[in-house]
Amino acid sequence: KMNKQLPWLVSNVVEVLEVEAEEDEDKDKNGKVAKEKACVIKTSTRQTVFLPIPGLVDTEELRPSDLIGVNKDSFLILEKLPSEYDSRVKAMELDEKPTEEYTDIGGLDK
């Protein structure tokens, strides 16, 4: 069975913006224009895209530099992806405090 779903494009959130709604019907009871969330994303193909309608992910969950999966054609955000990490950096992290002290290291005579 062949997979019919197109692959997603991996992108990063650059900024989450609040923009004023343009339509008159979006005004609240006090006559103020409602604020909507929009996103600026940068795709893995080096395109920067402004999305007035971000997509399926709640914009409250999105933060700058988050990794997201977007549709290749419309750039709508389909899913928030887990943060990626570089395995070389992960290998350099300290898991526990070292037990050695400076006196244990040879060649440091005063």
Side-chain angles (χ1 to χ4, degrees), residues 7-27:
W8 294 347
L9 194 60
V10 177
S11 304
N12 284 35
V13 176
V14 176
E15 195 169 354
V16 179
L17 306 167
E18 284 189 9
V19 294
E20 293 182 2
E22 295 179 8
E23 300 174 12
D24 292 333
E25 59 194 44
D26 287 341
K27 292 184 179 179

mmCIF file of all heavy atoms in Angstrom, residues 7-27:
data_model
loop_
_atom_site.group_PDB
_atom_site.id
_atom_site.type_symbol
_atom_site.label_atom_id
_atom_site.label_comp_id
_atom_site.label_asym_id
_atom_site.label_seq_id
_atom_site.Cartn_x
_atom_site.Cartn_y
_atom_site.Cartn_z
ATOM 1 N N PRO A 7 5.082 14.503 2.150
ATOM 2 C CA PRO A 7 5.940 14.800 3.302
ATOM 3 C C PRO A 7 5.835 16.278 3.684
ATOM 4 O O PRO A 7 5.570 17.137 2.859
ATOM 5 C CB PRO A 7 7.340 14.464 2.804
ATOM 6 C CG PRO A 7 7.247 14.435 1.332
ATOM 7 C CD PRO A 7 5.824 14.140 0.972
ATOM 8 N N TRP A 8 6.055 16.511 4.968
ATOM 9 C CA TRP A 8 6.005 17.886 5.468
ATOM 10 C C TRP A 8 7.337 18.571 5.223
ATOM 11 O O TRP A 8 8.360 17.955 5.014
ATOM 12 C CB TRP A 8 5.721 17.904 6.955
ATOM 13 C CG TRP A 8 4.376 17.391 7.321
ATOM 14 C CD1 TRP A 8 3.332 17.149 6.488
ATOM 15 C CD2 TRP A 8 3.935 17.044 8.615
ATOM 16 N NE1 TRP A 8 2.271 16.681 7.186
ATOM 17 C CE2 TRP A 8 2.600 16.608 8.505
ATOM 18 C CE3 TRP A 8 4.512 17.051 9.863
ATOM 19 C CZ2 TRP A 8 1.857 16.196 9.585
ATOM 20 C CZ3 TRP A 8 3.764 16.647 10.939
ATOM 21 C CH2 TRP A 8 2.464 16.226 10.807
ATOM 22 N N LEU A 9 7.276 19.884 5.268
ATOM 23 C CA LEU A 9 8.471 20.703 5.178
ATOM 24 C C LEU A 9 8.817 21.122 6.602
ATOM 25 O O LEU A 9 7.947 21.584 7.345
ATOM 26 C CB LEU A 9 8.168 21.924 4.305
ATOM 27 C CG LEU A 9 9.304 22.764 3.796
ATOM 28 C CD1 LEU A 9 10.244 21.940 2.931
ATOM 29 C CD2 LEU A 9 8.763 23.918 2.992
ATOM 30 N N VAL A 10 10.051 20.947 7.013
ATOM 31 C CA VAL A 10 10.471 21.325 8.363
ATOM 32 C C VAL A 10 10.806 22.809 8.364
ATOM 33 O O VAL A 10 11.500 23.304 7.474
ATOM 34 C CB VAL A 10 11.692 20.495 8.809
ATOM 35 C CG1 VAL A 10 12.175 20.942 10.177
ATOM 36 C CG2 VAL A 10 11.327 19.022 8.821
ATOM 37 N N SER A 11 10.269 23.517 9.365
ATOM 38 C CA SER A 11 10.467 24.968 9.453
ATOM 39 C C SER A 11 10.712 25.367 10.900
ATOM 40 O O SER A 11 10.478 24.591 11.817
ATOM 41 C CB SER A 11 9.235 25.707 8.937
ATOM 42 O OG SER A 11 8.928 25.320 7.628
ATOM 43 N N ASN A 12 11.144 26.617 11.068
ATOM 44 C CA ASN A 12 11.307 27.191 12.399
ATOM 45 C C ASN A 12 10.402 28.399 12.522
ATOM 46 O O ASN A 12 10.239 29.155 11.565
ATOM 47 C CB ASN A 12 12.747 27.643 12.627
ATOM 48 C CG ASN A 12 13.676 26.498 12.889
ATOM 49 O OD1 ASN A 12 13.512 25.423 12.337
ATOM 50 N ND2 ASN A 12 14.656 26.724 13.733
ATOM 51 N N VAL A 13 9.856 28.601 13.716
ATOM 52 C CA VAL A 13 9.072 29.798 13.985
ATOM 53 C C VAL A 13 10.055 30.946 14.217
ATOM 54 O O VAL A 13 10.959 30.844 15.042
ATOM 55 C CB VAL A 13 8.177 29.608 15.233
ATOM 56 C CG1 VAL A 13 7.444 30.893 15.569
ATOM 57 C CG2 VAL A 13 7.196 28.474 15.007
ATOM 58 N N VAL A 14 9.893 32.023 13.456
ATOM 59 C CA VAL A 14 10.740 33.204 13.637
ATOM 60 C C VAL A 14 10.091 34.137 14.650
ATOM 61 O O VAL A 14 10.741 34.601 15.593
ATOM 62 C CB VAL A 14 10.969 33.947 12.301
ATOM 63 C CG1 VAL A 14 11.757 35.218 12.515
ATOM 64 C CG2 VAL A 14 11.664 33.037 11.308
ATOM 65 N N GLU A 15 8.784 34.368 14.481
ATOM 66 C CA GLU A 15 8.086 35.302 15.367
ATOM 67 C C GLU A 15 6.596 35.014 15.342
ATOM 68 O O GLU A 15 6.046 34.622 14.315
ATOM 69 C CB GLU A 15 8.355 36.733 14.892
ATOM 70 C CG GLU A 15 7.996 37.790 15.892
ATOM 71 C CD GLU A 15 8.520 39.165 15.500
ATOM 72 O OE1 GLU A 15 9.259 39.277 14.522
ATOM 73 O OE2 GLU A 15 8.153 40.113 16.194
ATOM 74 N N VAL A 16 5.948 35.209 16.504
ATOM 75 C CA VAL A 16 4.494 35.120 16.601
ATOM 76 C C VAL A 16 3.995 36.542 16.823
ATOM 77 O O VAL A 16 4.393 37.210 17.779
ATOM 78 C CB VAL A 16 4.055 34.197 17.758
ATOM 79 C CG1 VAL A 16 2.545 34.138 17.839
ATOM 80 C CG2 VAL A 16 4.626 32.799 17.574
ATOM 81 N N LEU A 17 3.142 37.012 15.915
ATOM 82 C CA LEU A 17 2.688 38.410 15.936
ATOM 83 C C LEU A 17 1.211 38.508 16.275
ATOM 84 O O LEU A 17 0.437 37.596 15.977
ATOM 85 C CB LEU A 17 2.911 39.045 14.560
ATOM 86 C CG LEU A 17 4.310 38.958 13.973
ATOM 87 C CD1 LEU A 17 4.291 39.333 12.521
ATOM 88 C CD2 LEU A 17 5.233 39.855 14.749
ATOM 89 N N GLU A 18 0.826 39.627 16.863
ATOM 90 C CA GLU A 18 -0.592 39.946 17.041
ATOM 91 C C GLU A 18 -0.959 40.993 16.005
ATOM 92 O O GLU A 18 -0.362 42.058 15.953
ATOM 93 C CB GLU A 18 -0.858 40.498 18.442
ATOM 94 C CG GLU A 18 -0.870 39.457 19.511
ATOM 95 C CD GLU A 18 -1.340 40.005 20.846
ATOM 96 O OE1 GLU A 18 -1.812 41.162 20.899
ATOM 97 O OE2 GLU A 18 -1.225 39.281 21.824
ATOM 98 N N VAL A 19 -1.926 40.669 15.159
ATOM 99 C CA VAL A 19 -2.369 41.609 14.134
ATOM 100 C C VAL A 19 -3.842 41.919 14.347
ATOM 101 O O VAL A 19 -4.593 41.097 14.868
ATOM 102 C CB VAL A 19 -2.146 41.049 12.706
ATOM 103 C CG1 VAL A 19 -0.669 40.914 12.422
ATOM 104 C CG2 VAL A 19 -2.822 39.726 12.520
ATOM 105 N N GLU A 20 -4.244 43.107 13.949
ATOM 106 C CA GLU A 20 -5.647 43.490 14.088
ATOM 107 C C GLU A 20 -6.456 42.863 12.968
ATOM 108 O O GLU A 20 -6.023 42.818 11.816
ATOM 109 C CB GLU A 20 -5.784 45.001 14.059
ATOM 110 C CG GLU A 20 -5.160 45.682 15.259
ATOM 111 C CD GLU A 20 -5.366 47.185 15.228
ATOM 112 O OE1 GLU A 20 -6.030 47.683 14.293
ATOM 113 O OE2 GLU A 20 -4.861 47.851 16.136
ATOM 114 N N ALA A 21 -7.641 42.378 13.334
ATOM 115 C CA ALA A 21 -8.536 41.800 12.328
ATOM 116 C C ALA A 21 -9.021 42.912 11.412
ATOM 117 O O ALA A 21 -9.290 44.030 11.842
ATOM 118 C CB ALA A 21 -9.700 41.111 13.006
ATOM 119 N N GLU A 22 -9.166 42.621 10.132
ATOM 120 C CA GLU A 22 -9.549 43.641 9.156
ATOM 121 C C GLU A 22 -11.050 43.792 8.995
ATOM 122 O O GLU A 22 -11.529 44.841 8.600
ATOM 123 C CB GLU A 22 -8.927 43.307 7.798
ATOM 124 C CG GLU A 22 -7.425 43.378 7.810
ATOM 125 C CD GLU A 22 -6.832 43.032 6.467
ATOM 126 O OE1 GLU A 22 -7.599 42.895 5.497
ATOM 127 O OE2 GLU A 22 -5.609 42.922 6.380
ATOM 128 N N GLU A 23 -11.803 42.749 9.291
ATOM 129 C CA GLU A 23 -13.241 42.776 9.060
ATOM 130 C C GLU A 23 -13.981 43.450 10.217
ATOM 131 O O GLU A 23 -13.578 43.371 11.360
ATOM 132 C CB GLU A 23 -13.763 41.349 8.878
ATOM 133 C CG GLU A 23 -13.111 40.653 7.699
ATOM 134 C CD GLU A 23 -13.513 39.194 7.611
ATOM 135 O OE1 GLU A 23 -14.455 38.806 8.316
ATOM 136 O OE2 GLU A 23 -12.894 38.471 6.839
ATOM 137 N N ASP A 24 -15.105 44.105 9.900
ATOM 138 C CA ASP A 24 -15.894 44.794 10.915
ATOM 139 C C ASP A 24 -16.583 43.830 11.865
ATOM 140 O O ASP A 24 -16.860 44.171 13.003
ATOM 141 C CB ASP A 24 -16.956 45.685 10.252
ATOM 142 C CG ASP A 24 -16.320 46.852 9.508
ATOM 143 O OD1 ASP A 24 -15.215 47.267 9.913
ATOM 144 O OD2 ASP A 24 -16.931 47.323 8.541
ATOM 145 N N GLU A 25 -16.884 42.632 11.420
ATOM 146 C CA GLU A 25 -17.597 41.674 12.253
ATOM 147 C C GLU A 25 -16.732 41.104 13.370
ATOM 148 O O GLU A 25 -17.218 40.464 14.274
ATOM 149 C CB GLU A 25 -18.143 40.531 11.401
ATOM 150 C CG GLU A 25 -17.053 39.789 10.658
ATOM 151 C CD GLU A 25 -17.596 38.893 9.570
ATOM 152 O OE1 GLU A 25 -18.485 39.324 8.825
ATOM 153 O OE2 GLU A 25 -17.132 37.770 9.488
ATOM 154 N N ASP A 26 -15.420 41.367 13.340
ATOM 155 C CA ASP A 26 -14.523 40.869 14.369
ATOM 156 C C ASP A 26 -14.392 41.827 15.551
ATOM 157 O O ASP A 26 -13.555 41.617 16.414
ATOM 158 C CB ASP A 26 -13.132 40.608 13.781
ATOM 159 C CG ASP A 26 -13.125 39.371 12.895
ATOM 160 O OD1 ASP A 26 -14.052 38.553 13.036
ATOM 161 O OD2 ASP A 26 -12.204 39.239 12.078
ATOM 162 N N LYS A 27 -15.205 42.856 15.611
ATOM 163 C CA LYS A 27 -15.163 43.790 16.735
ATOM 164 C C LYS A 27 -15.907 43.210 17.916
ATOM 165 O O LYS A 27 -16.917 42.543 17.770
ATOM 166 C CB LYS A 27 -15.773 45.133 16.336
ATOM 167 C CG LYS A 27 -14.944 45.884 15.318
ATOM 168 C CD LYS A 27 -15.519 47.220 15.034
ATOM 169 C CE LYS A 27 -14.661 47.958 14.023
ATOM 170 N NZ LYS A 27 -15.169 49.256 13.692
#
